[in-house]
Amino acid sequence: MKRLLLGIIASILLSTSVSAQEPLVEIIFGPRDGDNVGTLYAYENSTIEVEFWMRTAPNVSIIAIHLPLSSKDEYVESRNGINLEYPPMEGWNVAALSPNDNSPYQGYTNQSLIGLCCPFGMPRYQDGVHTEGEWWKIASYIITMADNQTLNTLFCDAFIEGVHPYSGGNVLSEFNVGELDPSTYTVQYACLEFRENLCGSYIIGDFNGSGQFNVADIIASFSRLAIGSPEPGMICECPPGSGDDWAVAMDVNNSCAFNIADMVIAYQRLALGEPDLLHCDQCPPTGP
């Protein structure tokens, strides 16, 4: 009787510990602010990046990953591709799948990628992605936003779980673990907010706000980088919601930053007539 009672107590304690166990794999689609999902900010018709973050518990390794994401057609105009982060995905055999409208959810388009760590032979723990409790950025999805949106409103239905277009599978395909038994994983998705384009109309490369791009902009922007003056003709918050105000007109290589690389390209454009100047996709000018 005593042995039976001890067995019952042990079973209760075991079930309690299992139910209280932290998820072995956590996934975030969108910006990560500490352990919380942030909000994606976008302008109408802007191109933005949806980040894919993952962390694994100690001794847990992921050897095959499917990264599916479905985005709502009402908010997204087009899906342009997927970027892998290195070194986390170094050596992985990756097959990127084109966006398709076979999502099981009406009004959404599926966008996905498959990563296989060890396509030849048996995968090993050390071959997989194991972050040992740290957050790692694994990949990002590139999407272009639609127009005619309600501004300054949170849309938390913009991104939902996608599926494998062939098998219908979801996020994770296969675990390889050390001492732990793989159980559940958690997936969180960012909300989306459209902001008014505070940058307005500007000429790319026009540092001093004269309405044209010329050698005076090269001189002024070089001085700005070297000694912190003069002030740009226009600054604006870019990307929206970031709190980062800077001379967006002087990003001429679509890096969404102003630095010496922009100076080199701007000079080459004036001196040689090439390359083309490319504005920051997250903060496009509203005028010519």
Side-chain angles (χ1 to χ4, degrees):
M1 183 67 181
K2 183 178 180 180
R3 182 177 297 177
L4 177 60
L5 181 60
L6 289 174
I8 294 174
I9 293 174
S11 297
I12 293 174
L13 291 175
L14 179 60
S15 63
T16 301
S17 64
V18 170
S19 62
Q21 179 178 314
E22 293 294 322
L24 301 187
V25 179
E26 297 171 86
I27 292 171
I28 291 177
F29 283 101
R32 191 184 68 82
D33 181 16
D35 288 342
N36 300 316
V37 174
T39 298
L40 275 169
Y41 298 99
Y43 301 123
E44 297 174 315
N45 296 317
S46 64
T47 299
I48 66 172
E49 176 185 70
V50 183
E51 299 171 341
F52 173 91
W53 290 83
M54 184 176 74
R55 72 175 175 183
T56 65
N59 302 318
V60 176
S61 180
I62 305 301
I63 58 176
I65 303 178
H66 177 226
L67 315 181
L69 183 72
S70 282
S71 51
K72 197 168 188 179
D73 299 333
E74 179 181 347
Y75 310 130
V76 179
E77 177 69 26
S78 63
R79 293 95 180 153
N80 305 310
I82 299 171
N83 294 324
L84 289 182
E85 294 293 322
Y86 299 101
M89 303 300 289
E90 197 75 47
W92 281 58
N93 179 19
V94 177
L97 305 179
S98 299
N100 64 83
D101 56 7
N102 294 328
S103 171
Y105 312 106
Q106 185 175 4
Y108 287 81
T109 294
N110 201 61
Q111 183 171 357
S112 61
L113 168 147
I114 298 175
L116 299 176
C117 182
C118 295
F120 305 109
M122 293 297 293
R124 301 169 299 174
Y125 173 81
Q126 60 267 31
D127 295 320
V129 173
H130 44 96
T131 77
E132 304 301 324
E134 296 182 357
W135 282 106
W136 286 8
K137 185 180 177 183
I138 301 298
S140 60
Y141 292 77
I142 309 302
I143 59 178
T144 301
M145 312 312 298
D147 55 10
N148 299 319
Q149 298 297 322
T150 303
L151 300 181
N152 302 320
T153 301
L154 281 180
F155 302 103
C156 292
D157 60 343
F159 308 105
I160 61 175
E161 184 177 19
V163 298
H164 189 305
Y166 307 127
S167 68
N170 50 19
V171 177
L172 297 177
S173 298
E174 190 174 356
F175 293 88
N176 187 352
V177 301
E179 300 176 357
L180 299 181
D181 179 32
S183 58
T184 60
Y185 57 86
T186 64
V187 184
Q188 301 180 65
Y189 300 89
C191 294
L192 175 68
E193 180 177 329
F194 285 89
R195 291 284 184 90
E196 181 182 1
N197 189 342
L198 300 178
C199 294
S201 177
Y202 65 86
I203 304 298
I204 185 169
D206 179 18
F207 178 90
N208 59 17
S210 66
Q212 58 183 344
F213 166 53
N214 53 36
V215 69
D217 297 300
I218 300 289
I219 296 172
S221 58
F222 178 80
S223 177
R224 174 70 179 184
L225 288 176
I227 63 176
S229 65
E231 290 296 317
M234 181 204 74
I235 62 172
C236 70
E237 183 186 39
C238 178
S242 66
D244 188 11
D245 297 322
W246 55 286
V248 68
M250 280 311 298
D251 173 29
V252 299
N253 63 357
N254 190 22
S255 66
C256 294
F258 170 39
N259 51 41
I260 192 65
D262 297 298
M263 295 289 307
V264 173
I265 291 176
Y267 174 78
Q268 290 175 335
R269 177 64 181 183
L270 285 178
L272 305 174
E274 58 181 25
D276 291 337
L277 304 185
L278 304 174
H279 64 72
C280 174
D281 280 338
Q282 299 184 56
C283 316
T286 57

